[in-house]
Amino acid sequence: MAMPPAGTTTRFIMLITLVMAGGLFTFYELYFLVPGNWDHFISVFSRCFADPRISVPDPDDFERARRLLAVCQAPAFYDKVAWIGWGFLLLTAVAALLYGMHPVWIRRRGGLRPYVRDEDNAEVLGYLDALRSRMGLARAPAWFVAPRSIRTGGGQAFGLPWRRCVRLDAGLIMLYTRDRALFRTVVLHELAHLRNRDVDKTYLTIAIWWSFVAVVAVPLLGLVGYAALPGPTVTRDAMWSELVPYMVDRPHNVGQALVVAVLVYLVRNAILRVRELHADAVGTAYDEPVPAADPGPPDPGPPGRGAAVRWSWPRFGLGTHPAPEWRAAVRRRPELLWRPTLWELAGVGVVAGLLGNSLDLLVRGLFLDAFGKLNTFGGEAAVGAVLGPPLTAFLVVSLWRAAAGDTGHRIRWWHCLVQPPVLALGVLAGLALPLLIHSFNTTPYALASSRVWWGDLGILVTAGVPLVLGGVLVAWWFRSATRGTPSAVHARWSMVAAATAVFPWFLAWYVSLAADGPSSGANPAIGCWLGGPVSGDPAGFFWTLGCAQAFPVLNLVELNPVTLPGLALLWLVPSIAALRGRAPGRGRASWRRAPLVGAAGGVIVIAAGVALPHWARAAVPEAVRHDLGAEGANFDLAYWRAYLMIAVLAQAAVALVTAGAARRDRPGLALLAASVTAVVATAGQIGSYTVARCVDLMETRPSRCLPEVVASRLAADLHTVTLYGLLAVIPAVPIGVLAGTLWRRRSRPPGPSAEGQADPRPPVPAGAVIGCLVVVTVTAAVLVIPIAWLNWARWGAG
Amino acid sequence: MPGRVVADIGHGVVADVFPEELPVFAAVSSAYFDDPDRTLSGKDRNGGPLGFGLVEVTALMTPAVLWVVQVVLQHYTQPYIEKGADGLRSRAARLLRRRGKGVPGPDDVDAESLRALTPEQRAELRDVAVDAARRRGLSPEQAELIAEAIVHRIPGAGDEQGPPNRP
């Protein structure tokens, strides 16, 4: 089985992200604690408001005053951005310097001596070189002796890329004679660090930590203390000491920086621990086999399902080295290395949340100060777009690692149910951190906003439901798409597919956190039932789809050029794997059948769409049908929603039938079938509206009985039909799975799977159907770009 | 070269008594002459990043051996310097090389000059060695072995006994 990315990669990215989040937040907030910055900021705004066109705007042209103010105040924002940039440059430079100096530091601190060849050590050096060769290292490291380490038998790998070094304790060299096996284990462990390329990651990690302390934490404390000095000491501006509490939330800053510092430290140690375990595993692989009589320490990880995801605080500890019993277990069962821990999942979530907070600060400043826009969701949308795909990719990698660490190399169902909620809880905790710190804050800034923070926290809690649900769906899809045993290629493509598909949804979810009222993520269930019948519709048939109004943020998904390609990837990746696979029983028949089922569903929609005008003409009074300009919903809109509802129900039915009939790849198959239905139904609305015109359903005068085709309108409609269809497909699939399972159990005894038998000759080549669908999807995505652009401009206008 | 005689005698003692420490003798003796107290304490911090972790082993004897050798040679040279004793004064004057205005120490002893020690003097040095080794916390057996090896390694006496063997 191909191995997934190691936990180190995740943790290292987490560390960098955390430092970025903490640094960004701190540098941004500390800007005003430097008197020079403060003076510059005040001078810019004083100059701006000295302009009467800004300070006394024309009541008929506020927009002009807003534009002028934006242009005038932009230098203040860019000065702040430059300040942040210099902060990160310094952070990077200090980290690079510390990393570059680490060999000198280690040599000086340990009083290391080069282990040069003489008549006494020729044999040992020869043996060391043999071990190096066995480990597969082409280039020999420089060996050093720690002569004062006479009571320990350890080693240490270090050095820069062009000169790797290994430190050997004096006590270790003595073990060459006294305990050759232990000597070999330690040396192979250190050589494994070189083979695993751990040195750079590890010492960069240490360097980043110290750089964070030196450039972020210490200056923060220093400047906070400095700002507490009497005003004249700090700046000429007499107002500074009075205004700065409103500009800089100092207790909040210190609290958040402390939390980030603790997290950075914990992540740093987590990186060091996992590298030790990897080196143990590799070192053991190249070592001589342990005698069977040596049982070794007890195995800490039960091999069964319960051990696949661990809360393993006591075992792992929080230090730089893992617990001995855990190391012993990994030596015997290296697959344990791949198992993700729930702490890691939660930690990644917290880091993502913190990064979201920090980026929010920056982009809000960008929109407010540089673009002069108030009440815009553009910033949140940008941050949501940045956070969603990496979080999804991490979840997929985590599931992949869970499979690699599983005794059967499978993704178990409980992985899909446990990992997403933990990750989501971490995200929510990270997002909520500023709110929690505010609750302990007594500054005027915090007191002014204390009325709302409980409400913000409430939104986070309720918004967690769709986040968890989305995560579980992604996990379930990944498990299905990879048949539970992901290969490297398959897993990577699945990761791309999932990240692309989640992109618009996470973006909308993130925006909903900042939105109030019905657009908030806190009100999903209520909104769907708020829709009522169209005014004047006595039959009550043409109900509005209330969700459309209750979830304005869904508009960001509906008119998004990534939405359809993302969904298409969700069925394309598993379908290619199934259709190109040569092994029997890969379910090719299901993938050939699904488009046909979908097409049948689409044909039913077309038939219903043709019948709909006649039925509406009979059921709805003419006055209502011709009410095209009244306030609120008019009949044209109601007619479209009725057609949309038919298409949605058809997609749900198709998904239900497909999922119920299949035994594997159910989410992908259901999505494929529903996508075909959506495409056919969207095309079918041309016929429905043509018939409606033929029978004068809405028009007050006879119209031409000809179809009207506007490509961009069709593309947008396909997005709408697919989006709302998906909302129905999601619950339909598990219902179909359940119904199919029950039906198979009752109707016939278990026999060989139909998918394991020879595939019947398909009436239509599956590849051709899928290819056509891909073309339609891409075309629709391209055609919807202009409409989406207008939509985005509306959301970003403020 | 500072400590050359101590290092030479110490190397021989380690070869006789603790041969497994020979591959690291050069580095440890070098560190010992740079900072004897720190090397003897063996309390250097280790277990840093990418270290194997704490593997405790029986402490190396090389620093202790060098220290005992140094004490023995100091004991040998000290009377000549402090008391200016007759008889041996002229011999000590030949044996010791003065460097500048400093007081001669064991590092200044020329191995060639040790050839003419009497059996009584060698026995005295042996007792000094045992006492010094015991003060460093070595077991009686180890102290005896080290003392025997030191006396053996001083040229001119004990040749007939050969080097001591470890129990």
Side-chain angles (χ1 to χ4, degrees):
Chain A
M1 178 183 181
M3 289 295 122
T8 314
T9 309
T10 308
R11 288 171 171 87
F12 195 69
I13 292 172
M14 197 172 12
L15 180 80
I16 301 286
T17 310
L18 198 50
V19 169
M20 280 180 60
L24 181 59
F25 172 81
T26 308
F27 294 143
Y28 191 91
E29 291 287 302
L30 289 189
Y31 177 80
F32 288 117
L33 288 182
V34 176
N37 295 340
W38 172 265
D39 292 341
H40 177 75
F41 185 84
I42 292 297
S43 68
V44 168
F45 277 84
S46 299
R47 194 169 60 243
C48 291
F49 283 96
D51 184 343
R53 295 173 300 172
I54 296 174
S55 55
V56 190
D58 180 357
D60 297 328
D61 196 359
F62 276 109
E63 181 60 22
R64 177 166 167 265
R66 189 191 63 75
R67 280 201 308 272
L68 286 171
L69 178 61
V71 171
C72 182
Q73 71 186 7
F77 173 74
Y78 292 128
D79 188 60
K80 195 184 270 192
V81 171
W83 160 266
I84 295 170
W86 282 112
F88 275 113
L89 194 64
L90 183 63
L91 191 74
T92 309
V94 171
L97 180 70
L98 292 174
Y99 165 71
M101 294 294 291
H102 87 263
V104 177
W105 168 250
I106 288 175
R107 287 182 64 178
R108 284 184 65 85
R109 194 184 66 158
L112 305 191
R113 263 73 173 168
Y115 199 36
V116 293
R117 187 177 291 270
D118 59 32
E119 61 181 7
D120 291 331
N121 65 15
E123 183 185 339
V124 178
L125 277 168
Y127 189 70
L128 289 172
D129 199 53
L131 292 180
R132 188 269 306 167
S133 178
R134 186 195 294 185
M135 185 57 79
L137 294 171
R139 200 170 45 166
W143 302 100
F144 286 90
V145 179
R148 295 197 288 261
S149 298
I150 60 172
R151 299 177 194 279
T152 52
Q156 185 178 21
F158 63 100
L160 298 172
W162 51 89
R163 188 171 189 246
R164 299 297 190 202
C165 309
V166 175
R167 158 199 161 129
L168 306 169
D169 286 358
L172 173 67
I173 295 175
M174 183 178 64
L175 291 179
Y176 174 77
T177 306
R178 288 191 183 170
D179 188 344
R180 184 69 59 88
L182 182 54
F183 174 85
R184 191 172 55 239
T185 298
V186 175
V187 172
L188 284 174
H189 175 92
E190 299 308 325
L191 291 173
H193 278 311
L194 300 185
R195 182 188 168 87
N196 291 349
R197 299 186 187 89
D198 292 342
V199 174
D200 297 325
K201 285 178 205 157
T202 302
Y203 290 99
L204 270 174
T205 299
I206 304 280
I208 289 169
W209 157 250
W210 283 114
S211 178
F212 181 82
V213 170
V215 179
V216 177
V218 172
L220 169 71
L221 296 176
L223 281 172
V224 166
Y226 180 64
L229 293 174
T233 316
V234 179
T235 176
R236 296 188 305 276
D237 190 338
M239 292 291 288
W240 186 83
S241 58
E242 292 180 22
L243 288 179
V244 83
Y246 291 93
M247 304 301 288
V248 186
D249 187 0
R250 283 172 291 182
H252 183 190
N253 287 339
V254 173
Q256 180 143 340
L258 283 175
V259 171
V260 171
V262 169
L263 286 173
V264 170
Y265 184 76
L266 292 176
V267 173
R268 184 200 87 145
N269 286 359
I271 292 173
L272 302 184
R273 284 197 303 272
V274 79
R275 290 330 298 164
E276 294 303 326
L277 290 173
H278 274 271
D280 280 344
V282 172
T284 304
Y286 285 89
D287 204 348
E288 292 167 13
V290 178
D294 176 16
D299 184 346
R305 46 204 253 183
V309 183
R310 292 166 289 112
W311 291 99
S312 49
W313 191 323
R315 245 175 243 144
F316 248 179
L318 298 174
T320 57
H321 283 74
E325 65 267 28
W326 185 243
R327 297 180 73 165
V330 166
R331 285 195 192 101
R332 282 197 303 278
R333 293 173 51 198
E335 75 269 13
L336 292 174
L337 269 176
W338 303 106
R339 289 184 181 178
T341 65
L342 293 181
W343 293 110
E344 184 185 347
L345 281 157
V348 167
V350 169
V351 170
L354 287 173
L355 181 66
N357 283 326
S358 297
L359 289 176
D360 273 346
L361 271 179
L362 191 66
V363 294
R364 278 178 192 156
L366 177 73
F367 275 81
L368 182 64
D369 297 338
F371 301 157
K373 290 182 185 299
L374 285 167
N375 302 322
T376 170
F377 293 120
E380 284 78 8
V383 176
V386 168
L387 291 183
L391 271 174
T392 310
F394 170 74
L395 177 60
V396 168
V397 169
S398 182
L399 290 163
W400 186 7
R401 283 175 52 198
D406 184 78
T407 46
H409 294 308
R410 291 189 60 78
I411 302 172
R412 308 290 177 177
W413 63 266
W414 61 87
H415 295 154
C416 303
L417 287 182
V418 172
Q419 293 196 17
V422 174
L423 181 65
L425 282 175
V427 172
L428 295 173
L431 287 170
L433 183 67
L435 304 173
L436 295 171
I437 292 175
H438 265 308
S439 68
F440 303 109
N441 195 341
T442 56
T443 63
Y445 176 88
L447 289 175
S449 59
S450 61
R451 277 185 339 108
V452 299
W453 82 270
W454 278 113
D456 292 344
L457 206 57
I459 287 173
L460 281 178
V461 171
T462 48
V465 175
L467 190 63
V468 169
L469 184 63
V472 170
L473 289 174
V474 167
W476 183 34
W477 173 83
F478 179 67
R479 180 169 181 252
S480 163
T482 58
R483 308 264 171 97
T485 53
S487 66
V489 173
H490 205 173
R492 286 189 188 116
W493 277 107
S494 298
M495 187 163 58
V496 172
T500 309
V502 163
F503 169 81
W505 294 91
F506 192 88
L507 181 154
W509 177 84
Y510 199 82
V511 169
S512 79
L513 292 178
D516 293 326
S519 61
S520 165
N523 302 307
I526 299 169
C528 286
W529 299 104
L530 283 181
V534 174
S535 59
D537 172 14
F541 173 75
F542 294 101
W543 283 67
T544 57
L545 290 179
C547 292
Q549 276 73 42
F551 285 111
V553 289
L554 275 187
N555 188 247
L556 293 171
V557 183
E558 183 182 349
L559 294 175
N560 192 318
V562 182
T563 302
L564 283 192
L567 283 175
L569 284 172
L570 293 184
W571 51 257
L572 192 60
V573 169
S575 68
I576 290 174
L579 293 171
R580 292 187 63 185
R582 294 180 181 179
R586 295 190 63 84
R588 296 188 195 95
S590 296
W591 285 100
R592 287 166 182 152
R593 196 165 47 232
L596 296 178
V597 176
V603 168
I604 292 171
V605 175
I606 290 175
V610 169
L612 187 64
H614 300 285
W615 186 18
R617 199 162 188 271
V620 182
E622 186 176 349
V624 175
R625 289 189 280 113
H626 291 173
D627 182 19
L628 300 180
E631 287 184 12
N634 55 44
F635 188 73
D636 186 27
L637 180 63
Y639 184 83
W640 160 242
R641 285 178 181 163
Y643 186 86
L644 179 63
M645 189 179 289
I646 294 168
V648 165
L649 292 174
Q651 289 177 80
V654 160
L656 190 143
V657 169
T658 307
R663 294 192 179 186
R664 53 175 56 142
D665 298 337
R666 288 151 173 156
L669 287 165
L671 285 172
L672 173 61
S675 296
V676 173
T677 304
V679 169
V680 175
T682 303
Q685 64 148 316
I686 300 171
S688 181
Y689 273 90
T690 303
V691 173
R693 277 191 297 276
C694 288
V695 299
D696 293 334
L697 182 65
M698 287 172 272
E699 286 77 1
T700 52
R701 61 182 192 281
S703 58
R704 291 189 303 168
C705 202
L706 292 172
E708 288 181 7
V709 180
V710 181
S712 60
R713 188 64 250 168
L714 274 178
D717 288 345
L718 177 60
H719 280 76
T720 305
V721 169
T722 306
L723 170 70
Y724 290 101
L726 183 67
L727 295 178
V729 164
I730 288 171
V733 173
I735 294 171
V737 170
L738 190 64
T741 306
L742 291 175
W743 184 79
R744 275 191 291 272
R745 276 188 189 170
R746 293 187 178 184
S747 61
R748 59 185 178 193
S753 165
E755 288 150 7
Q757 298 166 2
D759 293 337
R761 183 173 295 278
V764 181
V769 173
I770 287 173
C772 289
L773 204 52
V774 169
V775 170
V776 169
T777 301
V778 172
T779 306
V782 171
L783 288 174
V784 89
I785 287 176
I787 302 173
W789 179 256
L790 290 176
N791 189 47
W792 279 90
R794 186 169 60 83
W795 278 89
Chain B
M1 178 183 175
R4 186 175 57 81
V5 175
V6 177
D8 286 346
I9 295 175
H11 183 271
V13 174
V14 168
D16 291 343
V17 186
F18 307 108
E20 69 274 17
E21 298 185 19
L22 269 185
V24 77
F25 180 84
V28 174
S29 62
S30 165
Y32 175 83
F33 292 120
D34 281 354
D35 190 343
D37 292 338
R38 204 167 163 191
T39 308
L40 281 166
S41 72
K43 289 179 180 173
D44 246 34
R45 284 185 62 195
N46 55 12
L50 299 192
F52 184 78
L54 191 63
V55 179
E56 292 198 41
V57 297
T58 309
L60 257 73
M61 290 296 152
T62 300
V65 167
L66 292 170
W67 188 78
V68 173
V69 172
Q70 199 166 11
V71 168
V72 169
L73 292 183
Q74 265 177 342
H75 178 84
Y76 171 67
T77 58
Q78 205 63 20
Y80 309 139
I81 296 160
E82 291 182 355
K83 297 176 183 175
D86 292 338
L88 288 175
R89 179 192 294 272
S90 57
R91 188 184 303 166
R94 287 200 312 275
L95 298 177
L96 304 178
R97 292 179 317 205
R98 290 179 182 276
R99 287 185 303 181
K101 295 180 181 177
V103 177
D107 294 347
D108 301 308
V109 175
D110 181 351
E112 290 297 318
S113 64
L114 294 170
R115 286 186 181 284
L117 290 177
T118 63
E120 293 75 20
Q121 287 170 325
R122 291 181 184 279
E124 181 186 349
L125 292 181
R126 183 184 172 287
D127 292 342
V128 169
V130 169
D131 181 56
R134 295 288 292 144
R135 276 191 283 139
R136 275 253 57 96
L138 273 66
S139 68
E141 294 77 16
Q142 285 176 326
E144 288 288 340
L145 283 169
I146 290 172
E148 286 294 334
I150 290 174
V151 171
H152 172 75
R153 287 285 164 179
I154 294 177
D159 288 350
E160 69 280 2
Q161 297 173 3
N165 294 318
R166 295 180 72 189

